[in-house]
Amino acid sequence: MARARAQLSTRLMNVCLAALCRSGSLERAESVLIDAILLGMPPDVVTYNTLLAAHCRAAGLDAGFAVLRRMREAGVWPNAVTYNSLIVAASRVGLTMRALDLFDEMLRAGIAPDAWSYNVLMHCLFRSGHPEDAYRVFADMAEKGVTPCTTTYNTLLDGLFKAGHATNAYRMFRYLQRVGLPVGIVTYNTMINGLCRSGKVGYARMILRELGRTEHTPNAVTYTTVMKCCFRYGRFDQGLETFLSLLEGGHIPDVFPYCTVISALVKKGRVEEANAYSELMIQSGSRLDTACYNTLIHLRCQEGKLDDAFELLSMMEEGGLESDEYTFSILVNGLCKLGHIEAAEKQLCYMEMRDMESNVVAYNCLVDALCKSDQVDAAIRLLHDMKLKDDFTYTSLVHGLCRVGRYHMASKFLRICLREGNNVLASAKRAVIAGLRSAGFKNDVRKVRSALYMARLLKS
DNA sequence: CTCCATCAAG
């Protein structure tokens, strides 16, 4: 009887704890735990799992491990949910090997992975660019007799699209429908998004129409996906209408639609409307994350209000949000466009100090700005600092070199670029060939042509 | 009662 009462109160405490964790009051959740122990309510595995997931979200994987130690000290054994949360935390920061190790550790500890374990592992492998391993996990799941759920299929479909297998994803979707496997609104959203991004707009429209004939209700994600698709394919007014129809439906519970429409407006130079929707987003009461701030900073830069942009940056950092590679590329781009090349270089230095995983876009902005202001040699020097270069890097550089008449150097970089497996825009290729020809470098024209031919062969 | 999937930012 006393035991039953203790279990009931533990359950109540867990509900309370989960609510506090959800609202971000981790400290209060911890003090509730202390009070509960003092009052004789023993924490159980759910209590610790709740705290573990919250700590992982707030402070990362190591904070999660600290909770794992605490639960072991309290004599509470971790279960599949515990490991699932840790795997997610590892996956979130790109620690794929760590996630795989945790999965193995779970097996060694005699804890049977559930569908969620397989789902999170699959997702981790897809997002780290290992689709083949993800498919293997899916096969392994079936072999171990764990039934895939909606999330499993949704993860798989999205992964197929992201790995460039749109046709396979489409077939898989039809298969799921045919055999009556779970297909929900997330599945439809995944399909519409994937088809759009892989250029199969007609198919995307077909799936959207099909969605309208089902009992599933399109949600904010559906609207955002459709909007983005419109903006992508130049149907600006249609995209804006989609946003407005979502707005008419009442309160938008999500920042995604706002960010989508604001950046589309900024790109069009319609900053007044962008400002109006920024206000709505801020007033909507949703918590602004780094992407929201980045969108707003981009808007300020585009307006030429650099002081306001940097003020937003400090607001964001004071709010406990970290700037990311998007923030830096937006700032570098904004500074360059307003002629503050040195300040842009300073931002790149900050970025180097932060040791961010991807800085190629920020570098590209500066390379492009240097090339456009005829400081091609400075751009070439900058290229040496870049760990990774892409098509944009070389397109800017090749165009820049052609503009100042250095066609030989341009052809040299074009060939380096092709050798590295990169490419440049067709306009840059034409500029090089036309330039070489006009300068009478017949030999170079031949070399460039054969390099382009080789690159095409290797592609197919 | 606790853990996963779809949409936004250059």
Side-chain angles (χ1 to χ4, degrees):
Chain A
M1 186 59 193
R3 202 185 135 83
R5 204 163 58 218
Q7 276 175 359
L8 175 66
S9 36
T10 296
R11 212 181 152 89
L12 286 172
M13 170 187 55
N14 289 343
V15 173
C16 177
L17 215 70
L20 287 169
C21 286
R22 253 196 308 278
S23 67
S25 317
L26 247 176
E27 282 169 27
R28 282 182 66 199
E30 288 286 0
S31 65
V32 163
L33 174 63
I34 294 167
D35 290 345
I37 294 170
L38 290 175
L39 290 169
M41 290 178 224
D44 62 5
V45 65
V46 176
T47 320
Y48 282 107
N49 284 344
T50 308
L51 282 173
L52 185 142
H55 275 101
C56 281
R57 260 194 299 271
L61 187 57
D62 289 329
F65 279 116
V67 180
L68 183 65
R69 275 193 297 278
R70 280 164 59 196
M71 72 192 279
R72 283 194 171 125
E73 279 160 17
V76 175
W77 288 97
N79 62 10
V81 176
T82 320
Y83 276 97
N84 294 347
S85 302
L86 290 169
I87 292 170
V88 168
S91 165
R92 205 178 282 143
V93 288
L95 295 171
T96 310
M97 286 308 287
R98 199 75 194 275
L100 290 164
D101 285 343
L102 281 162
F103 190 83
D104 283 339
E105 191 182 313
M106 172 163 61
L107 293 174
R108 281 199 306 275
I111 300 165
D114 58 12
W116 289 49
S117 318
Y118 287 101
N119 293 347
V120 295
L121 201 60
M122 261 174 69
H123 186 228
C124 174
L125 289 165
F126 274 128
R127 60 187 265 167
S128 60
H130 301 94
E132 302 298 334
D133 293 314
Y135 306 145
R136 220 165 288 141
V137 169
F138 179 69
D140 193 40
M141 183 176 183
E143 214 171 279
K144 296 275 157 56
V146 178
T147 311
C149 63
T150 328
T151 303
T152 315
Y153 295 116
N154 293 337
T155 307
L156 193 55
L157 287 173
D158 190 56
L160 282 166
F161 277 118
K162 301 231 157 102
H165 303 300
T167 311
N168 289 338
Y170 180 76
R171 284 191 193 131
M172 168 118 211
F173 174 70
R174 291 304 187 207
Y175 169 78
L176 295 177
Q177 286 181 318
R178 198 167 59 240
V179 301
L181 284 163
V183 166
I185 185 64
V186 178
T187 321
Y188 278 96
N189 292 342
T190 305
M191 288 307 297
I192 296 164
N193 181 48
L195 289 167
C196 247
R197 296 181 90 101
S198 49
K200 302 181 187 308
V201 197
Y203 281 90
R205 291 177 66 101
M206 177 175 69
I207 302 291
L208 184 65
R209 279 197 303 272
E210 275 180 36
L211 169 62
R213 292 194 293 270
T214 67
E215 77 277 26
H216 305 291
T217 317
N219 58 17
V221 178
T222 321
Y223 279 87
T224 310
T225 306
V226 170
M227 270 165 68
K228 181 72 188 171
C229 190
C230 293
F231 292 139
R232 223 182 132 89
Y233 292 99
R235 311 283 285 263
F236 188 85
D237 292 329
Q238 207 177 345
L240 201 56
E241 265 169 40
T242 309
F243 176 75
L244 292 172
S245 61
L246 187 59
L247 206 56
E248 274 167 23
H251 177 247
I252 300 177
D254 202 341
V255 292
F256 281 71
Y258 288 110
C259 287
T260 310
V261 78
I262 292 165
S263 40
L265 285 164
V266 170
K267 214 170 278 170
K268 278 257 169 193
R270 290 161 67 161
V271 289
E272 270 165 43
E273 289 151 278
N275 271 313
Y277 295 132
S278 300
E279 281 302 314
L280 280 185
M281 176 170 80
I282 293 162
Q283 286 163 13
S284 76
S286 300
R287 211 183 86 87
L288 303 189
D289 62 9
T290 302
C292 296
Y293 275 101
N294 288 344
T295 308
L296 296 176
I297 292 171
H298 186 212
L299 167 59
R300 291 291 170 259
C301 285
Q302 215 62 10
E303 287 180 300
K305 297 178 176 170
L306 278 176
D307 291 341
D308 292 357
F310 279 99
E311 175 148 5
L312 277 167
L313 180 68
S314 7
M315 264 176 70
M316 156 178 159
E317 283 169 345
E318 277 159 25
L321 291 170
E322 274 214 336
S323 48
D324 60 9
E325 63 261 35
Y326 284 87
T327 322
F328 281 104
S329 55
I330 289 163
L331 289 173
V332 169
N333 186 48
L335 288 165
C336 285
K337 293 278 147 64
L338 294 162
H340 305 290
I341 301 265
E342 280 176 24
E345 283 167 346
K346 211 163 105 190
Q347 290 300 324
L348 273 182
C349 285
Y350 289 150
M351 201 171 174
E352 283 293 344
M353 289 188 319
R354 287 266 301 273
D355 202 28
M356 306 194 114
E357 64 277 18
S358 165
N359 54 20
V360 63
V361 181
Y363 268 101
N364 284 346
C365 291
L366 186 54
V367 167
D368 192 60
L370 289 169
C371 287
K372 290 209 167 110
S373 60
D374 294 346
Q375 298 173 258
V376 204
D377 290 305
I380 292 170
R381 278 196 297 278
L382 197 60
L383 226 64
H384 295 304
D385 298 336
M386 297 176 69
K387 284 185 276 292
L388 192 81
K389 300 156 196 100
D390 64 12
D391 297 5
F392 293 97
T393 324
Y394 286 109
T395 298
S396 293
L397 187 66
V398 167
H399 262 142
L401 285 164
C402 288
R403 193 176 15 250
V404 293
R406 292 163 67 176
Y407 303 114
H408 181 72
M409 189 68 123
S411 74
K412 200 183 104 189
F413 275 106
L414 175 55
R415 279 179 291 137
I416 290 173
C417 154
L418 294 170
R419 213 160 42 230
E420 288 174 359
N422 289 311
N423 208 340
V424 295
L425 284 181
S427 63
K429 292 175 192 166
R430 283 196 300 270
V432 175
I433 291 173
L436 289 173
R437 209 175 266 144
S438 73
F441 295 139
K442 281 194 183 138
N443 204 25
D444 283 306
V445 173
R446 220 187 52 239
K447 277 200 223 164
V448 164
R449 281 200 186 286
S450 88
L452 286 170
Y453 180 67
M454 277 303 289
R456 249 200 327 273
L457 281 182
L458 288 170
K459 271 259 160 145
S460 58

